[in-house]
Amino acid sequence: MKLTLKIWRQKNADAKGKFITYDFDAASPDMSFLEMLDALNTKLIKERTDPVAFDHDCREGICGSCGIYINGHPHGPGKKAITTCHLSMREFKDGDTVYVEPWRAKAFPVVKDLIVDRTAFDKIQIAGGFISTNVGSAPDSHAIPVEKSKADEAFDSAICIGCGACVAACKNASAMLFVSAKISQFALLPQGRIEAKERVQTMVKKMDELGFGNCSNTGACEAECPKEISLVNIARMNREFYWAKIQ
Amino acid sequence: MGKFFGSSVTKKFVMAVAGLFIILFLMVHLGINFFLLIDDPVPFNSAAHFMATNIIVKVFEVVLMAGFLIHMIWGVVLQIQNWVARPKRYKRTSSSQTSFFSKYMIYLGIIIAVFLFIHFMNFYFVKLGLVEGDHENFHLMANNLFHLPLYVVIYLVSFLFLAFHLHHAFQSAFQTLGLNHNKYTPVIKGIGLIYSIIVPLGFSIIPIVIYFFK
Ligand code: HEM
Ligand code: SF4
Ligand code: FES
């Protein structure tokens, strides 16, 4: 299939960057989007030009490193709940024009082309996204009883892969879905309750400091999240935050 | 306390509480407005008189005005922060599935603020004595005003934008307050939809009836 690719090219963090148009006819509907980019890069390398830089690692939807804004959607159009590496070229038609952009947020500066620096997420995690425990051998299973429904809910939050699509999708570049998932995975479990009060405050504070926007309850994050993290998490984070402040 | 009000989460908390308070007030306001449809000016004027003089209502009035101010100030502050958070926009704008009017809240809010100013010039500032007028006969003032086509149009258009603002606002406030529940959130959304249609529609009926039938 033949595609007109309009790809954001930017040499480095300080460079201005612009869209470059590539007429690419070696794409196949059997490729994944990243395989299509690989094919494009092979061609660019053969032509002795700079290949398009993009992030990827596992290519099976679990590491969270891939993330490209394609035709108005983080992780691309079509099927819901997928990462860019799971995006199939079947979602595109022969002759389509495809806009390929990096995540856009003040807190995620572009490193090169489609790669952005997501250190901001790490900083939020470092601010409180952990539990303090004595290291040693693994504790006995079921030493602390947890209700099955709570464990399931905590798991639903814990599957956030930190890809940043929520920030990319949000009109305000807000990180609330990510932060609320990272808070919820602990807030729902007894092990996490111990530090819950400090955690929600330090993580929200860090999130604000790093220049992410505020939540307008628009819901774009939930719609685009590859792991279907729900807005219920944001409501929970807000509740946790108010209680922590009142106490 | 300073830190409490400073964070992104609490700014929204304050906005939501202020917004919900205004939402409650709008229902009281609408209830009183229906007296305008009665030809006898006494019921409406005595209600207006009661609202202007009763001490408890006066306390609420201060709270309400403070609520409006805080809601507007935080609304603008949050919006500016939100714009700053994405200095470089996307070429292909988002086509994600969203709560539609949430994207236009600031513009809808500004339209409502402009309307409020006009509305205050018409009535509230008269009551306060800032603008000239007969503050014992609001019934007559309303009747005069809504025989002017320009004002009928201004009010009707403003109510439409109010409806849009409320459509997102009602359910959004509950989410902000942390009240999201698998079973009850759809109910809240339903009530919000009904509220955002019924209340602006109720307000709209009054200028229309006065213009055409009084
Ligand atoms: C009749 C008057 C008004 C009512 C009943 C009302 C109500 C509400 C409510 C309940 C919310 C939801 C808060 C939340 O998301 O938690 C909201 C949001 C908002 N309101 Fe109003 N509002 C009114 C007037 C205004 C005015 C005059 C402005 C002027 C700036 C304004 C600006 C905003 C903005 C910007 C938001 C969205 C905030 C965000 O994106 O998070 N509103 N409003
Ligand atoms: S909440 Fe979803 S979109 Fe956001 S970082 Fe986690 S997995 Fe990605
Ligand atoms: S490359 Fe790991 S999630 Fe896509």
Side-chain angles (χ1 to χ4, degrees):
Chain A
M1 60 203 283
K2 215 176 135 123
L3 296 171
T4 305
L5 299 168
K6 295 195 180 278
I7 303 182
W8 181 259
R9 302 302 309 264
Q10 182 174 337
K11 265 210 155 51
N12 54 52
D14 303 319
K16 212 163 158 298
K18 61 171 187 289
F19 281 96
I20 304 243
T21 306
Y22 299 92
D23 290 310
F24 188 58
D25 53 11
S28 135
D30 297 332
M31 288 175 169
S32 75
F33 192 85
L34 296 189
E35 281 166 345
M36 185 277 294
L37 284 184
D38 290 337
L40 173 72
N41 277 344
T42 309
K43 181 169 167 257
L44 292 179
I45 291 166
K46 275 186 189 148
E47 292 166 0
R48 300 197 174 278
T49 46
D50 196 23
V52 179
F54 62 92
D55 247 339
H56 61 106
D57 186 20
C58 70
R59 296 210 178 190
E60 55 181 17
I62 54 167
C63 74
S65 59
C66 64
I68 304 176
Y69 196 87
I70 305 156
N71 275 356
H73 291 276
H75 295 306
K79 264 213 193 105
K80 283 190 108 184
I82 54 157
T83 49
T84 305
C85 56
H86 272 172
L87 175 65
S88 162
M89 289 312 292
R90 270 177 228 114
E91 301 293 348
F92 302 90
K93 288 190 304 291
D94 191 38
D96 271 1
T97 299
V98 185
Y99 279 91
V100 187
E101 307 177 59
W103 287 175
R104 296 281 186 206
K106 183 170 162 241
F108 288 165
V110 173
V111 176
K112 187 175 195 280
D113 297 341
L114 305 172
I115 298 179
V116 297
D117 181 356
R118 280 171 289 193
T119 311
F121 270 8
D122 299 337
K123 288 185 182 156
I124 295 172
Q125 284 289 59
I126 292 165
F130 52 81
I131 60 163
S132 306
T133 182
N134 291 326
V135 289
S137 56
D140 288 343
S141 55
H142 299 301
I144 303 169
V146 178
E147 228 177 278
K148 169 82 168 108
S149 63
K150 283 269 178 270
D152 287 348
E153 247 186 299
F155 187 75
D156 286 345
S157 304
I159 56 174
C160 160
I161 54 176
C163 63
C166 43
V167 176
C170 176
K171 73 178 177 69
N172 308 333
S174 167
M176 291 241 185
L177 194 65
F178 165 78
V179 177
S180 67
K182 297 300 174 198
I183 285 170
S184 291
Q185 65 183 0
F186 294 125
L188 288 159
L189 299 176
Q191 294 92 326
R193 286 305 324 162
I194 302 159
E195 290 155 300
K197 201 177 135 188
E198 295 84 58
R199 179 179 305 112
V200 66
Q201 296 183 71
T202 52
M203 288 179 79
V204 167
K205 184 159 170 259
K206 186 52 84 183
M207 169 183 81
D208 289 346
E209 271 172 25
L210 290 165
F212 290 103
N214 308 284
C215 179
S216 288
N217 303 327
T218 300
C221 54
E222 184 188 55
E224 298 292 357
C225 172
K227 298 297 156 186
E228 301 186 296
I229 303 289
S230 113
L231 292 182
V232 168
N233 288 280
I234 298 183
R236 183 183 298 109
M237 175 178 75
N238 292 354
R239 272 196 316 269
E240 290 277 325
F241 189 83
Y242 304 140
W243 284 126
K245 289 291 182 186
I246 291 166
Q247 278 164 21
Chain B
M1 255 345 219
K3 286 218 179 81
F4 180 80
F5 286 108
S7 86
S8 55
V9 178
T10 29
K11 276 198 217 83
K12 280 298 301 268
F13 177 86
V14 174
M15 272 199 88
V17 171
L20 285 177
F21 190 77
I22 302 170
I23 281 176
L24 276 179
F25 161 76
L26 286 184
M27 293 203 284
V28 178
H29 192 332
L30 179 60
I32 293 172
N33 281 13
F34 278 126
F35 286 128
L36 279 170
L37 298 177
I38 309 171
D39 282 332
D40 179 7
V42 175
F44 182 75
N45 284 341
S46 30
H49 184 79
F50 174 79
M51 295 299 276
T53 50
N54 184 282
I55 182 75
I56 300 170
V57 177
K58 276 200 166 307
V59 173
F60 272 105
E61 187 181 311
V62 174
V63 176
L64 182 71
M65 287 306 147
F68 262 118
L69 273 180
I70 292 173
H71 186 84
M72 288 195 280
I73 293 169
W74 276 160
V76 171
V77 169
L78 287 171
Q79 186 58 60
I80 291 171
Q81 289 180 340
N82 294 345
W83 279 325
V84 171
R86 170 154 306 132
K88 177 112 183 99
R89 324 239 107 210
Y90 292 108
K91 177 94 179 166
R92 267 294 295 264
T93 45
S94 161
S95 36
S96 307
Q97 192 189 342
T98 56
S99 164
F100 182 77
F101 292 116
S102 69
K103 288 186 256 179
Y104 310 103
M105 291 302 270
I106 188 68
Y107 308 110
L108 297 168
I110 289 169
I111 293 170
I112 297 169
V114 171
F115 164 75
L116 275 179
F117 182 74
I118 298 170
H119 179 54
F120 282 6
M121 291 294 283
N122 295 153
F123 297 100
Y124 186 64
F125 291 160
V126 175
K127 189 188 92 177
L128 296 184
L130 300 172
V131 173
E132 229 170 281
D134 178 4
H135 51 79
E136 283 307 314
N137 200 346
F138 280 101
H139 189 279
L140 182 68
M141 275 168 53
N143 267 284
N144 289 340
L145 188 72
F146 294 136
H147 278 107
L148 306 172
L150 175 68
Y151 279 97
V152 175
V153 170
I154 290 176
Y155 274 66
L156 292 184
V157 170
S158 304
F159 294 149
L160 182 66
F161 287 120
L162 175 66
F164 295 160
H165 196 81
L166 291 171
H167 179 264
H168 173 70
F170 194 96
Q171 48 86 29
S172 176
F174 286 88
Q175 164 77 8
T176 299
L177 296 181
L179 305 171
N180 186 327
H181 188 277
N182 287 344
K183 205 155 82 209
Y184 300 120
T185 294
V187 178
I188 290 171
K189 286 192 176 165
I191 296 172
L193 179 66
I194 294 169
Y195 179 96
S196 65
I197 294 171
I198 297 282
V199 170
L201 197 65
F203 277 113
S204 304
I205 288 171
I206 290 148
I208 293 175
V209 169
I210 292 178
Y211 185 76
F212 287 106
F213 304 107
K214 301 269 170 188

